[in-house]
Amino acid sequence: MPLFAFIAIDKRQLLTLTGEHLWLVGISMFLAVALGVPMGILLSRRRGLRAVVLGANNIVQTIPSLALFGLLLPVPWLGARADRLAILALTLYALLPVVRNTYAGIAGVDPPVREAAVGMGLTPWQLLWHVELPLASNVIVAGIRTATVITVGVATIAAAIGAGGLGEFIFRGLAMVDNSVILAGAVPAALLALGADLLLGLIQRTLVRTHH
Amino acid sequence: MSDPSGPAIEFVNVHYRIDGKHSLISNLNLSVLRGEALMLLGRSGSGKTTTLKLINRLLAPSEGEVRVDGRSTTEWDVIRLRRHIGYSIQEAGLFPHYTVQENVALVPKLEGWEPARISSRVQEVLQLVGLPFHQFSSRYPDQLSGGQRQRVGLARALAADPPILLMDEPFGALDPMTRAELQHEFMELQKRLRKTVVFVTHDVAEALMLGNRIALMDSGALKGIFTGAEFFRSSDTAVKPYIDAFQAMQQTLKAGD
Ligand SMILES: Nc1ncnc2c1ncn2[C@@H]1O[C@H](COP(=O)(O)OP(=O)(O)O)[C@@H](O)[C@H]1O
Ligand SMILES: [Mg+2]
């Protein structure tokens, strides 16, 4: 059977599901960055929190994604809408790489550079803005890149709770025992992951170039 | 608060301990006069860097008081204190993501100077340390030699024209030729600027050449303060090894002639 025969039939659905998939990943990544970068910064300021926060994050990562979706289902406001729930679960998964890399990037700033900055009279915010974040940006984007690729993959599971996305094809294909339908979800998802990886890789390289 | 005739920096019975016990500095009493270059001389680990950091409050004394312009460093607004004091360290600690110009301009910018004033000051101060503006201003630190980086570090420390300058082995990592060149230029600069300088070195020749006075440190304690002449006349057992080292070096130089 020709691999992409289904495309002729279901082009519109493919577009819709890809759109949903991108939406799930986009919102989750936005939240993961909006929460994860400040958390990483906080960890670099309060190193005592490090074990707790990274540990909690690690635990989330070890919960199988299907189980996490299931566990969140009974939560009142969340469970009411599948996409809310999916976004929360995806955000939790994406958080660890973002937090960890933000922390690592800041902790990796050359001690003499930080010391010179503090000694010159930069306030903690100025230190963060002028020195630490720019120098950590490459590592932070690398974390976002990893998180995005993971999220694109995990988002296929969201279909199991009815949140849509390319997983719809995968689960339907599994039910129908039809590989071509499975591939109709899996191949575009893989391409999305690849595309996101390339795009963020490009951004990363630009950062390295402008910062030497 | 600021008595213009009083010392610029004063250590009064200063102790600095880590974890409340391990003592890095013990009972330090020391005055740095306005406009002098005081050399902190001592072997590695003797507490020179710690002493310097007590001045710009990167560290606070465990006991006693460090006074800058007559006021305890713990009473100063710490940001104001640090911007009142230029700080230049070994390997310069330049910001690798900033150009030379941006490195030097940062503190004036944070101080809210007008762009035109910043730009003319950056030009002036780079000229002062022997780096032509048009040639160096848009380079990044990794496009500079070690000596040039050190010059930028000095320019950056001087940018906002602080009355006090702290220099922690600024020439320590340079090759002998470049080091001699920078030492010479530092002397010329100091003749003109008359900053209050505290200069850390482990090199006795450097201390004798650049300083008005030498504060000799050993194991976290001050062994004495000497002018160059006093240093050579001193019979202090702490001084002797330095004189020996200095004379041995001169012998070697003569033998090489
Ligand atoms: N944060 C620290 N913790 C423990 N020991 C330290 C710390 N900082 C410095 N020391 C020790 O204090 C002593 C003095 O250090 P330092 O002031 O850097 O000496 P110097 O600059 O003269 O080489 C050294 O023995 C050093 O190992
Ligand atoms: Mg030192």
Side-chain angles (χ1 to χ4, degrees):
Chain A
M1 179 196 336
L3 205 58
F4 287 98
F6 61 89
I7 290 181
I9 310 159
D10 249 344
K11 223 183 251 171
R12 293 194 55 178
Q13 199 183 6
L14 177 65
L15 275 180
T16 311
L17 293 181
T18 305
E20 284 174 7
H21 207 92
L22 280 173
W23 154 259
L24 286 176
V25 172
I27 299 287
S28 308
M29 282 312 302
F30 173 80
L31 291 174
V33 172
L35 295 170
V37 172
M39 277 167 79
I41 292 168
L42 186 69
L43 291 198
S44 73
R45 297 292 183 266
R46 306 246 183 291
R47 303 215 168 183
L49 291 177
R50 210 182 125 209
V52 180
V53 174
L54 291 184
N57 261 305
N58 264 323
I59 290 171
V60 172
Q61 295 258 320
T62 61
I63 304 175
S65 38
L66 200 53
L68 185 59
F69 284 114
L71 285 171
L72 291 171
L73 209 49
V75 180
W77 181 81
L78 270 178
R81 279 188 48 185
D83 54 349
R84 279 182 199 155
L85 202 158
I87 286 166
L88 177 74
L90 292 176
T91 304
L92 289 178
Y93 275 106
L95 216 46
L96 179 65
V98 176
V99 176
R100 197 175 41 199
N101 279 40
T102 301
Y103 170 77
I106 291 175
V109 171
D110 229 5
V113 170
R114 178 180 283 110
E115 194 170 290
V118 175
M120 285 161 67
L122 269 67
T123 65
W125 283 110
Q126 289 165 345
L127 176 69
L128 185 69
W129 183 249
H130 290 282
V131 180
E132 292 178 317
L133 283 182
L135 290 176
S137 59
N138 179 27
V139 181
I140 296 174
V141 173
I144 296 174
R145 200 173 157 188
T146 309
T148 307
V149 173
I150 294 173
T151 307
V152 170
V154 177
T156 56
I157 314 285
I161 54 159
L166 290 162
E168 294 262 324
F169 276 145
I170 297 176
F171 284 105
R172 197 184 307 161
L174 283 170
M176 293 160 60
V177 201
D178 185 339
N179 281 344
S180 70
V181 179
I182 295 178
L183 288 173
V187 172
L191 289 177
L192 279 186
L194 213 64
D197 191 46
L198 281 175
L199 183 71
L200 287 161
L202 219 64
I203 293 176
Q204 214 182 334
R205 236 161 300 145
T206 315
L207 286 173
V208 175
R209 210 172 313 126
T210 51
H211 292 156
H212 273 248
Chain B
M1 117 238 127
S2 157
D3 168 14
S5 63
I9 304 164
E10 241 179 320
F11 285 75
V12 184
N13 303 325
V14 170
H15 293 256
Y16 181 75
R17 303 183 194 90
I18 286 195
D19 312 324
K21 44 181 202 294
H22 186 57
S23 177
L24 300 193
I25 299 292
S26 46
N27 201 33
L28 181 59
N29 285 284
L30 174 67
S31 290
V32 185
L33 309 177
R34 257 165 240 282
E36 83 165 325
L38 181 83
M39 312 306 280
L40 280 184
L41 176 66
R43 57 181 69 219
S44 180
S46 58
K48 309 181 295 295
T49 296
T50 307
T51 303
L52 216 57
K53 287 180 177 173
L54 284 162
I55 299 172
N56 62 4
R57 232 199 117 184
L58 287 175
L59 302 172
S62 314
E63 204 181 303
E65 221 173 64
V66 180
R67 294 185 195 137
V68 173
D69 283 345
R71 192 160 25 135
S72 165
T73 54
T74 54
E75 281 166 25
W76 275 81
D77 171 314
V78 70
I79 301 301
R80 294 264 39 93
L81 174 72
R82 289 175 184 157
R83 294 200 189 158
H84 185 75
I85 299 174
Y87 190 41
S88 151
I89 59 180
Q90 191 174 340
E91 299 289 3
L94 297 180
F95 305 133
H97 58 302
Y98 278 0
T99 61
V100 166
Q101 183 174 354
E102 290 165 339
N103 264 283
V104 176
L106 183 58
V107 171
K109 201 170 112 188
L110 296 178
E111 286 285 282
W113 291 20
E114 296 290 322
R117 184 176 169 215
I118 296 177
S119 132
S120 75
R121 178 60 181 169
V122 171
Q123 297 208 21
E124 180 186 18
V125 88
L126 284 177
Q127 214 69 51
L128 211 55
V129 299
L131 296 174
F133 179 83
H134 61 93
Q135 200 181 339
F136 289 97
S137 64
S138 45
R139 289 206 200 169
Y140 285 89
D142 65 359
Q143 298 169 316
L144 300 172
S145 71
Q148 289 162 347
R149 271 201 289 275
Q150 214 56 63
R151 287 167 197 263
V152 176
L154 182 57
R156 186 175 66 175
L158 290 169
D161 204 18
I164 298 174
L165 209 52
L166 306 180
M167 303 177 78
D168 196 346
E169 308 208 29
F171 311 143
L174 303 178
D175 65 84
M177 296 291 286
T178 310
R179 170 193 282 236
E181 204 175 290
L182 264 89
Q183 286 168 336
H184 179 74
E185 287 174 26
F186 172 80
M187 284 195 286
E188 293 298 314
L189 211 63
Q190 177 57 5
K191 254 188 240 159
R192 266 200 280 168
L193 302 180
R194 290 255 158 250
K195 300 278 180 196
T196 303
V197 180
V198 183
F199 190 115
V200 164
T201 181
H202 57 248
D203 177 350
V204 63
E206 183 169 76
L208 288 163
M209 182 162 52
L210 301 185
N212 301 89
R213 294 190 301 159
I214 296 174
L216 185 62
M217 295 200 62
D218 188 37
S219 311
L222 182 65
K223 290 295 167 188
I225 302 183
F226 313 87
T227 63
E230 287 165 355
F231 194 77
F232 279 109
R233 266 191 268 118
S234 169
S235 54
D236 196 315
T237 51
V239 174
K240 191 158 181 310
Y242 289 93
I243 297 174
D244 290 348
F246 186 70
Q247 282 167 348
M249 190 183 72
Q250 285 191 318
Q251 292 299 322
T252 318
L253 287 177
K254 274 192 204 122
D257 277 346

